[in-house]
Amino acid sequence: MRACIPLVLAVLCGLAWAEDHKESEPLPQPEEETEEALASNLYSAPTSCQGRCYEAFDKHHQCHCNARCQEFGNCCKDFESLCSDHEGFSHSSDAITKEEIQSISEKIYRADTNKAQKEDIILNSQNCISPSETRDQRDRCPKPLFTYVNEKLFSKPTYAAFINLLNNYQRATGHGEHFSAQELAEQDAFLREIMKTAVMKELYSFLHHQNRYGSKQEFIDDLKNMWFGLYSRGNEEGDSSGFEHVFSGEVKKGKVTGFHNWIRFYLEEKEGLVDYYSHIYDGPWDSYPDVLAMQFTWDGYYKEVGSAFIGSSPEFEFALYSLCFIARPGKVCPLSLGGYPLAVRTYTWDKSTYGNGKKYIATAYIVSSA
C-alpha cells in the first residue's frame, strides 16, 4: 500500500485549530475539533503542535514541533503540553518516555500473530481524493472497499468475542445503554480472551514494570471500567462508552462519530449499511496491519474522515489504544510499527469519572503517519 498524498502531509484524523479560531469560542467535541477540521486546516500554516509532534522541520510553518525546536526557541506554544517525552499518569520519575512507548509498540506489533495475512484480505481502495474534497460528500468509488475477507479469521476466539459486542449498543447518542446479563458476560469474555494473547501479555508486562498496575486482575478491572464504563454524550445518562464510540461507532447530530474498526466496517458493508466513498491516505505498510483514512456513509450518515487499522486483530487495536490512553491521556502518542512512525490521539471524558477519580476514554484514533 502506498500513500496517495506525501507522507509529510498525511494526517489521518487531526490537525491544529484553523488560524482564524477565536479563543472565546466554546470548545467543540473531540471529533468536531479534529476529523471535521482536517480538510480546511491541512494546507494552512499551523500554529499548534496538534498532530505534529516530532515532525520534520518545515521552514514554511509559523512555529515548530520538531525534536530541536526547544534548542532554537521556535516551538509552538503548546509543544511542551502535547509533545513532552515525560508524561502519563503522573510527572514522577517513573513516567513513561517516548522511547519506551515506541519500543513496546514495536513489541506489540510483532506479537500480533492473529492479524490477517496478505491473502486474507483483498482491498479495492479505488479513488484517492485531496483533503479539501472530504466535505463534498460525493461517492467516488462505485465498488465496495472489501473485495474479499477470509471469514475464517472471525472464528478465532478474540475476533468472535469482539464481534459479539458490536450489537450491544444503540448507535444514536442521547439514548441510554442498558446491558443485559448476557451482554455484561460478553464484555468479560472479550477481556478474558484478549488477555490470553501475546499482545496483551506484552502490554501488561510493560505496564506492570512501569508501576501502573500491581496485578493482572487490577489491570483487567481497569480496562473494563475505562472502555465499557458508561457516561453521557447527550441528554441521556449513560448513553455512551469508549468501546462503543471507537469500535462500534455512533451517530450524533446527523453525523458518524468514532467507528474506527475494519471488522465493523466490513460486516456493515457486507450488509449494505456502509457505502465506501473515497480515501485520502493509504499507509506505507506492505503487510497487515495497515492504515486507511477514508470517507463513507453508514446507513445514510456521513463520515468525513475515518481512520482505521486494516487487518489487525482486535487485541492489537485494543492494546495500542489502551497503551496510549494510559501513557499519554488526552495527548498525541508516538508509536512505531514495523519501523514506521505512527501517532495516536486519545481524549479523556472529563465530565464523569470512576474509582479514585480515573477518567473514561472518550475516543482514540490514528492521527498521523509522518
Side-chain angles (χ1 to χ4, degrees), residues 331-349:
K331 299 183 184 297
V332 173
C333 177
L335 305 175
S336 179
L337 302 178
Y340 292 100
L342 187 76
V344 164
R345 177 68 195 254
T346 65
Y347 280 87
T348 61
W349 191 257

Side-chain angles (χ1 to χ4, degrees), residues 23-204:
E23 293 184 1
S24 60
E25 294 177 355
L27 292 177
Q29 294 298 316
E31 300 238 352
E32 294 170 346
E33 174 185 343
T34 53
E35 297 181 64
E36 294 181 9
L38 182 142
S40 61
N41 292 336
L42 186 58
Y43 296 107
S44 63
T47 57
S48 166
C49 286
Q50 176 84 26
R52 297 174 53 212
C53 290
Y54 304 104
E55 69 180 8
F57 175 79
D58 186 333
K59 66 180 180 180
H60 299 293
H61 289 168
Q62 294 183 18
C63 61
H64 304 279
C65 307
N66 60 80
R68 300 184 67 187
C69 70
Q70 291 177 308
E71 178 183 343
F72 289 96
N74 56 12
C75 297
C76 297
K77 62 183 180 180
D78 57 6
F79 175 81
E80 185 67 24
S81 63
L82 292 180
C83 307
S84 173
D85 281 350
H86 296 278
E87 297 194 23
F89 276 176
S90 69
H91 296 272
S92 63
S93 59
D94 67 351
I96 301 173
T97 67
K98 171 188 173 184
E99 291 75 21
E100 289 169 332
I101 294 174
Q102 291 177 325
S103 176
I104 184 58
S105 62
E106 284 286 2
K107 290 181 180 179
I108 289 171
Y109 178 79
R110 292 192 295 270
D112 188 17
T113 56
N114 277 337
K115 67 182 180 181
Q117 302 303 308
K118 284 186 176 181
E119 63 271 17
D120 289 328
I121 298 175
I122 300 175
L123 283 185
N124 186 6
S125 56
Q126 301 167 77
N127 202 349
C128 177
I129 66 172
S130 69
S132 63
E133 298 174 288
T134 59
R135 293 184 178 179
D136 293 351
Q137 299 192 30
R138 288 180 54 198
D139 186 353
R140 296 175 171 86
C141 298
K143 296 182 180 180
L145 173 63
F146 288 95
T147 299
Y148 168 77
V149 171
N150 178 8
E151 294 193 7
K152 290 182 179 179
L153 287 170
F154 301 157
S155 64
K156 293 185 176 184
T158 58
Y159 285 79
F162 175 82
I163 291 170
N164 283 342
L165 296 171
L166 296 178
N167 64 354
N168 292 350
Y169 299 97
Q170 301 181 70
R171 68 181 179 187
T173 59
H175 298 275
E177 301 289 354
H178 302 283
F179 297 126
S180 67
Q182 178 180 339
E183 289 169 343
L184 291 172
E186 288 171 351
Q187 295 174 6
D188 291 332
F190 173 71
L191 292 171
R192 186 167 56 250
E193 290 298 336
I194 65 172
M195 288 303 299
K196 296 176 184 177
T197 66
V199 164
M200 292 301 289
K201 288 177 181 178
E202 285 282 3
L203 178 60
Y204 170 69

Side-chain angles (χ1 to χ4, degrees), residues 192-249:
R192 186 167 56 250
E193 290 298 336
I194 65 172
M195 288 303 299
K196 296 176 184 177
T197 66
V199 164
M200 292 301 289
K201 288 177 181 178
E202 285 282 3
L203 178 60
Y204 170 69
S205 178
F206 171 76
L207 294 173
H208 178 67
H209 180 73
Q210 293 287 337
N211 301 315
R212 292 305 186 272
Y213 299 97
S215 69
K216 188 175 293 185
Q217 191 58 52
E218 180 189 355
F219 178 50
I220 295 170
D221 291 344
D222 197 41
L223 289 175
K224 184 170 183 178
N225 284 318
M226 182 191 306
W227 282 100
F228 295 104
L230 294 174
Y231 50 78
S232 176
R233 285 186 187 270
N235 298 323
E236 181 76 21
E237 192 69 25
D239 69 334
S240 185
S241 69
F243 185 92
E244 176 183 7
H245 182 84
V246 174
F247 294 105
S248 184

